[in-house]
């Protein structure tokens, strides 16, 4: 139900508002609305102890406005004796429409909600990609003791793809003069499959000239 206040620049008008605010924190409901902003604009200043309910409400609205407009005000005085309530009533319908568009504390629009959801999804996606990494240790075995292990390692490291980073390596003796390459790699789980890396890159031409087989020794999530 709409409530009407008049002559809020006079004591009688302030008394009416003071009586209305008895037991209330805001004009409508239990939180700040456009109704508070409109009435606030019609009250020239904090009336002080003469109207305690109005004074408390005025300070509350002022604190909300101060949070929304953090810049330092130098103070402005308005000349003239026009009745603020009458001035508000005299505004054109177009001006009223502008008031409806100006929402200082925002009833959140569908566009705002959609943008917020998209930002949240992007954050979750980025977090997933950051945490979705693994450290892998693989053995790369040559054909025999005559395989050039330096060229074998070069062949392994020549594999490049998004989300793949080769690390430290060493040669480990297997027996009969044969050594295998043991190499570390870090992968982004969403981008690199170790099985695919081995089956489609390391053990096929031209790298299979040096590489007989590969085995996963360790696989740890980072």
């Amino acid at each position: 139900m709409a409530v009407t206040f008049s002559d809020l620049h006079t004591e009688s008008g302030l008394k009416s508002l003071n009586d209305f605010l008895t037991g209330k924190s805001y004009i409508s409901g239990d939180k700040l609305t456009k109704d508070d902003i409109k009435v606030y604009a019609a009250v020239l200043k904090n009336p002080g102890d003469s109207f305690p309910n109005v004074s408390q409400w005025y300070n509350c609205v002022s604190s909300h406005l101060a949070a929304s407009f953090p810049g330092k005000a130098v103070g402005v005085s308005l000349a003239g004796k026009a009745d603020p309530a009458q001035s508000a009533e005299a505004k054109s319908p177009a001006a009223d429409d502008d008031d409806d568009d100006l929402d200082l504390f925002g009833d959140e629009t569908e566009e705002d909600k959609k943008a917020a959801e998209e930002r949240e999804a992007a954050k979750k996606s980025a977090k997933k990609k950051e945490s979705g990494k693994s450290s892998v240790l693989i053995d790369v075995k040559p054909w025999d003791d005559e395989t050039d292990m330096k060229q074998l390692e070069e062949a392994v490291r020549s594999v490049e793809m998004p989300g793949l980073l080769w690390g430290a390596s060493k040669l480990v003796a297997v027996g009969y003069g044969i050594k295998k390459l043991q190499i570390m790699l870090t992968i982004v789980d969403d981008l690199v499959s170790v099985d695919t890396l081995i089956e489609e890159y390391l053990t096929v031409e031209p790298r299979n000239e040096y590489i007989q087989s590969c085995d996963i020794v360790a696989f740890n999530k980072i």
Side-chain angles (χ1 to χ4, degrees), residues 125-163:
S125 177
K127 184 176 180 181
K128 180 180 178 182
K129 289 185 180 298
E130 286 177 4
S131 61
K133 293 182 179 180
S134 298
S135 176
V136 186
L137 177 65
I138 63 173
D139 282 345
V140 184
K141 299 175 182 176
W143 287 101
D144 51 40
D145 60 341
E146 295 182 357
T147 301
D148 188 327
M149 296 303 291
K150 182 178 180 181
Q151 290 185 331
L152 180 146
E153 182 171 353
E154 289 176 352
V156 171
R157 292 184 182 276
S158 68
V159 178
E160 297 179 353
M161 63 178 68

Side-chain angles (χ1 to χ4, degrees), residues 4-22 27 39-55 57-58 84:
T4 301
F5 299 104
S6 60
D7 301 325
L8 291 178
H9 60 297
T10 66
E11 287 194 3
S12 60
L14 289 173
K15 183 179 184 307
S16 174
L17 178 60
N18 192 74
D19 293 341
F20 177 83
L21 287 171
T22 300
I27 299 298
V39 177
Y40 180 90
V43 177
L44 299 182
K45 63 180 180 179
N46 190 326
D49 295 337
S50 299
F51 303 97
N53 296 331
V54 176
S55 179
W57 164 84
Y58 191 97

Side-chain angles (χ1 to χ4, degrees), residues 92-196:
S92 67
D96 289 337
D97 291 340
D98 290 341
D99 277 347
D100 291 337
D101 292 336
L102 177 61
D103 192 347
L104 298 178
F105 306 98
D107 289 337
E108 194 174 25
T109 65
E110 289 300 322
E111 290 77 5
D112 292 334
K113 290 180 181 179
K114 184 176 180 181
E117 290 171 358
E118 290 176 351
R119 287 194 298 271
E120 190 63 27
K123 288 180 182 178
K124 290 181 179 179
S125 177
K127 184 176 180 181
K128 180 180 178 182
K129 289 185 180 298
E130 286 177 4
S131 61
K133 293 182 179 180
S134 298
S135 176
V136 186
L137 177 65
I138 63 173
D139 282 345
V140 184
K141 299 175 182 176
W143 287 101
D144 51 40
D145 60 341
E146 295 182 357
T147 301
D148 188 327
M149 296 303 291
K150 182 178 180 181
Q151 290 185 331
L152 180 146
E153 182 171 353
E154 289 176 352
V156 171
R157 292 184 182 276
S158 68
V159 178
E160 297 179 353
M161 63 178 68
L164 170 64
L165 177 65
W166 296 106
S169 65
K170 65 179 181 179
L171 296 178
V172 179
V174 177
Y176 303 100
I178 300 176
K179 295 181 179 181
K180 65 182 178 181
L181 175 71
Q182 199 165 75
I183 186 168
M184 293 288 301
L185 58 146
T186 301
I187 62 170
V188 176
D189 297 335
D190 291 343
L191 301 177
V192 179
S193 163
V194 179
D195 290 336
T196 300

